[in-house]
């Protein structure tokens, strides 16, 4: 799935003027209109994840932060297309970090909204089937996994994300942290991500981020994670 | 698009409590002088009240930032230094190496915030005017043309940080003449290179502004100029690297 999204994002980055089929984006919510990334609708209301995540956080996070990544990604994509047209290699290289950061921000948040859900829509219900087995094989139990995941989140020095990823070579799952908006691409497939940027929790939890990491499991949508797991 | 469940009301000025604490009642850490002793740092008191930078930085932000965030860097730094002292004592080189990142991050956090508090001051203070830094301003004009251009360049650098980090005006020594540069650093990387003297820094972690400015970091970056302590900046500009860092010795 990430490979499809990546291709799509890359394609829209490289040929911003070319039409891109939104349904091939690989994520239900990720749409690309005429090569432009657009903010996906949340699959639930802003207040639906309370009390784990406040409605105010969700509103700002989705309508402001995510929107800024989308807008900035489109800007960088256009500039990249121009630079390609001009065959200006230096300009293309200068734009790479912006593509990575804003494109990553768009991808990460899109995946994040999908892998959360209100408890009324299955949020917090433990994983089943093959993903559950893979987690138990790697971590012993779901609780042990959550403990390790929360330790990884707490260990991020600065802004970043923690992900449960699947190694596309070995198919096993593991926890990885990524700095800033570095997306899960390449060898690893994103299964479940938690945003550890301060904007993801500060209005509600301030410096008590461990409380956010603990509470967020109440609204994790394991069904979405299962669909990503191969 | 869903309709918002809560509207964006102007923020949390819940703390109507007038906070006049100078945060000086920090517990003194026990100081060991044994073979495995490591320095224990304590939180330096703010040189002004938590609400002294209002309306540019709210008292709530200042209190959390100083008493919680800065304190956590110090607590974790002391723990890492203690573990390192033990690893040195037992000649455990792998543990020493494994501790380096924790020391860098938490020491950086302590260094950066200690410098930051000192290079801010209440907006109504005379120190908040750039005229309090005649030599520095002269050099700024020589480097960027005028103060406005410098501020614009500094703001652009701050807003270009991807993730958590800091923006600094730095004096670089070692050439014929000292020169000024704008530097951004990631996370808690401190400005401690050879010949580098931090003049003033701006914290661009979201915790530095989020409760008041939310996603509007451009407004924070604009307003911070009202509370830059130019007197401190001038002292650092005229002094050495060791002078700039003397606050750290004082927090031991
Ligand atoms: Fe985020
Ligand atoms: Fe800070």
């Amino acid at each position: 799935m990430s490979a499809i999204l990546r291709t799509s994002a890359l394609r829209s980055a490289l040929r911003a003027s070319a039409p891109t089929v939104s349904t091939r984006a690989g994520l239900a919510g990720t749409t690309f209109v005429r090569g432009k990334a657009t903010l996906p609708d949340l699959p639930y209301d802003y207040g639906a994840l309370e009390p784990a995540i406040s409605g105010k956080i969700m509103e700002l996070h989705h309508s402001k932060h995510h929107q800024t990544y989308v807008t900035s990604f489109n800007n960088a994509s256009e500039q990249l297309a121009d630079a390609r047209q001009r065959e200006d290699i230096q300009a293309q290289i200068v734009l790479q970090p912006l593509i990575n950061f804003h494109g990553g921000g768009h991808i990460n948040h899109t995946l994040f909204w999908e892998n959360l859900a209100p408890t009324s829509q299955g949020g917090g219900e433990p994983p089943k089937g093959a993903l559950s087995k893979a987690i138990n094989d790697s971590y012993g139990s779901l609780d042990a996994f959550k403990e390790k995941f929360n330790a990884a989140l707490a260990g991020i020095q600065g802004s970043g994300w923690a992900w449960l990823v699947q190694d596309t070579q070995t198919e096993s799952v593991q926890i990885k942290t990524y700095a800033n908006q570095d997306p899960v691409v390449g060898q690893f497939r994103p299964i479940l991500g938690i945003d550890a940027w301060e904007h993801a929790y500060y209005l509600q939890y301030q410096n008590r981020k461990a409380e956010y990491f603990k509470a967020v499991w109440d609204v994790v949508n394991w069904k979405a994670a299962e669909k990503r797991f191969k | 698009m869903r309709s918002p469940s809560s509207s964006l009301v102007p923020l949390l000025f819940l703390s109507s409590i007038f906070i006049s604490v100078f945060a000086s009642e920090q517990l003194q850490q026990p100081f060991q002088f044994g073979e495995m002793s490591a320095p224990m740092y304590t939180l330096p008191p703010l040189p002004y009240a938590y609400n002294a930078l209002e309306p540019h930085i709210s008292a709530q932000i200042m209190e959390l930032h100083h008493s919680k965030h800065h304190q956590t860097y110090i607590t974790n730094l002391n723990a890492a230094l203690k573990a390192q002292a033990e690893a040195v004592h037992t000649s455990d080189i792998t543990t020493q190496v494994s501790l380096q990142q924790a020391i860098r991050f938490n020491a950086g956090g302590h260094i950066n915030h200690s410098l930051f508090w000192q290079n801010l001051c209440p907006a109504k203070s005379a120190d908040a005017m750039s005229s309090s830094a005649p030599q520095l301003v002269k050099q700024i004009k020589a480097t960027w043309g005028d103060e406005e251009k410098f501020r614009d360049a500094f703001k652009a650098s701050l807003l270009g940080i991807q993730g958590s980090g800091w923006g600094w005006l730095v004096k670089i020594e070692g050439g014929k003449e000292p020169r000024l540069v704008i530097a951004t650093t990631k996370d808690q990387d401190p400005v401690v290179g050879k010949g580098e003297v931090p003049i003033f820094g701006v914290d661009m972690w979201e915790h530095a502004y989020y409760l008041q400015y939310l996603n509007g970091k451009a407004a924070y970056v604009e307003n911070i100029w009202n509370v830059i302590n130019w007197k401190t900046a001038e002292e650092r500009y005229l002094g050495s690297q060791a002078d700039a860092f003397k606050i750290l010795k004082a927090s031991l």
Side-chain angles (χ1 to χ4, degrees):
Chain A
M1 188 172 287
S2 74
I4 299 167
L5 177 66
R6 182 160 50 98
T7 310
S8 181
L10 204 60
R11 192 194 305 124
S12 85
L14 297 178
R15 295 190 299 139
S17 58
T20 308
V21 183
S22 66
T23 51
R24 292 185 57 199
L27 286 159
T30 313
T31 53
F32 296 89
V33 180
R34 288 191 300 277
K36 296 263 194 202
T38 57
L39 183 68
D41 284 346
L42 274 192
Y44 37 79
D45 289 334
Y46 286 134
L49 304 185
E50 291 189 349
I53 305 176
S54 75
K56 176 153 188 153
I57 287 177
M58 289 301 295
E59 181 178 359
L60 282 161
H61 203 170
H62 176 259
S63 73
K64 302 292 183 187
H65 290 278
H66 190 170
Q67 180 63 61
T68 300
Y69 291 116
V70 169
T71 306
S72 305
F73 172 72
N74 286 332
N75 289 342
S77 295
E78 264 173 44
Q79 291 174 42
L80 188 61
D82 286 349
R84 274 175 61 89
Q85 201 124 45
R86 297 195 312 272
E87 298 182 353
D88 182 342
I89 296 173
Q90 277 131 316
Q92 291 177 55
I93 291 168
V94 164
L95 287 163
Q96 290 306 318
L98 292 172
I99 296 287
N100 182 71
F101 182 67
H102 297 293
H106 177 41
I107 292 171
N108 289 336
H109 286 93
T110 301
L111 292 165
F112 182 51
W113 309 137
E114 282 185 12
N115 68 219
L116 297 179
T119 49
S120 60
Q121 291 172 37
E125 276 173 29
K128 298 186 194 114
L131 177 57
S132 172
K133 186 176 179 304
I135 288 171
N136 289 337
D137 286 350
S138 291
Y139 296 97
S141 70
L142 183 61
D143 282 345
F145 160 76
K146 287 182 188 173
E147 208 170 295
K148 287 243 165 59
F149 199 100
N150 285 359
L153 281 165
I156 293 172
Q157 297 179 334
S159 298
W161 292 72
W163 288 90
L164 173 65
V165 301
Q166 186 175 19
D167 189 326
T168 57
Q169 293 170 4
T170 67
E171 310 224 311
S172 66
V173 292
Q174 60 177 289
I175 296 163
K176 279 176 69 73
T177 59
Y178 290 76
N180 303 320
Q181 294 298 355
D182 289 352
V184 182
V185 292
Q187 187 186 341
F188 300 100
R189 178 182 296 137
I191 305 297
L192 170 73
I194 302 295
D195 191 344
W197 281 58
E198 290 174 321
H199 66 234
Y201 61 84
Y202 208 81
L203 290 182
Q204 187 175 358
Y205 296 95
Q206 290 91 38
N207 62 302
R208 305 179 316 279
K209 61 181 176 182
E211 290 178 27
Y212 159 66
F213 299 149
K214 191 163 174 285
V216 78
W217 295 102
D218 294 341
V219 290
V220 161
N221 181 355
W222 282 104
K223 282 198 199 79
E226 284 165 20
K227 282 185 195 144
R228 295 172 188 162
F229 182 73
K230 298 255 162 42
Chain B
M1 191 78 47
R2 304 294 161 133
S3 60
S5 66
S6 64
S7 61
L8 297 176
V9 282
L11 257 213
L12 309 164
F13 288 109
L14 311 170
S15 58
S16 51
I17 312 150
F18 181 73
I19 303 157
S20 61
V21 187
F22 274 74
S24 55
E25 9 93 62
Q26 286 306 314
L27 295 174
Q28 285 296 314
Q29 307 279 359
F31 211 114
Q32 289 184 309
F33 288 97
E35 266 184 296
M36 298 199 304
S37 75
M40 296 293 272
Y41 290 92
T42 56
L43 186 66
L46 276 191
Y48 36 76
Y50 284 134
N51 65 355
L53 306 185
E54 290 195 341
H56 309 294
I57 305 178
S58 74
Q60 188 191 18
I61 288 177
M62 289 302 293
E63 181 171 12
L64 282 163
H65 202 171
H66 177 259
S67 72
K68 302 293 183 185
H69 290 278
H70 190 170
Q71 179 61 58
T72 300
Y73 292 116
I74 292 170
T75 304
N76 292 339
L77 171 63
N78 286 333
L81 290 176
K82 184 163 180 286
Q84 191 200 40
E86 284 163 8
V88 169
H89 183 66
T90 56
S91 301
D92 180 352
I93 197 165
T94 52
T95 299
Q96 288 175 54
V97 173
S98 74
L99 285 164
Q100 284 182 0
Q101 186 49 35
I103 292 172
R104 179 180 178 82
F105 179 70
N106 291 295
H110 176 42
I111 292 168
N112 290 334
H113 287 91
S114 297
L115 293 171
F116 183 52
W117 309 136
Q118 300 277 328
N119 69 224
L120 298 179
C121 67
K124 62 181 185 297
S125 159
D127 300 348
M129 316 257 267
S130 65
S131 54
S132 298
Q135 295 300 312
L136 174 59
V137 167
K138 200 172 148 216
Q139 186 63 31
I140 283 173
K141 285 177 176 163
T143 309
W144 282 278
D146 59 47
E147 272 188 72
E148 181 82 11
K149 285 199 188 109
F150 160 68
R151 284 179 202 219
D152 287 347
F154 198 92
K155 281 186 266 188
S157 293
L158 291 175
L159 294 176
I161 293 172
Q162 297 179 337
S164 299
W166 291 73
W168 292 92
L169 175 63
V170 181
K171 177 177 72 165
I172 312 275
E173 293 182 317
K176 250 197 320 209
E177 297 274 311
R179 60 196 175 88
L180 291 175
V181 296
I182 295 165
T184 58
T185 56
K186 68 174 176 61
D187 305 326
Q188 292 298 355
D189 286 354
V191 177
V192 290
K194 195 171 184 312
E196 296 175 356
V197 183
I199 305 297
F200 60 77
V202 176
D203 191 343
M204 288 305 291
W205 281 58
E206 290 175 319
H207 66 235
Y209 61 83
Y210 207 82
L211 292 179
Q212 186 176 357
Y213 293 94
L214 307 175
N215 61 304
K217 63 180 171 182
Y220 164 68
V221 159
E222 189 65 43
N223 287 351
I224 195 82
W225 294 100
N226 294 305
V227 291
I228 292 291
N229 188 332
W230 287 92
K231 182 162 172 276
T232 296
E234 179 84 342
E235 284 164 10
R236 288 183 189 158
Y237 174 65
L238 297 175
S240 67
Q241 190 188 54
D243 295 333
F245 291 142
K246 64 181 187 288
I247 176 74
L248 299 168
K249 286 236 169 76
S251 71
L252 261 174

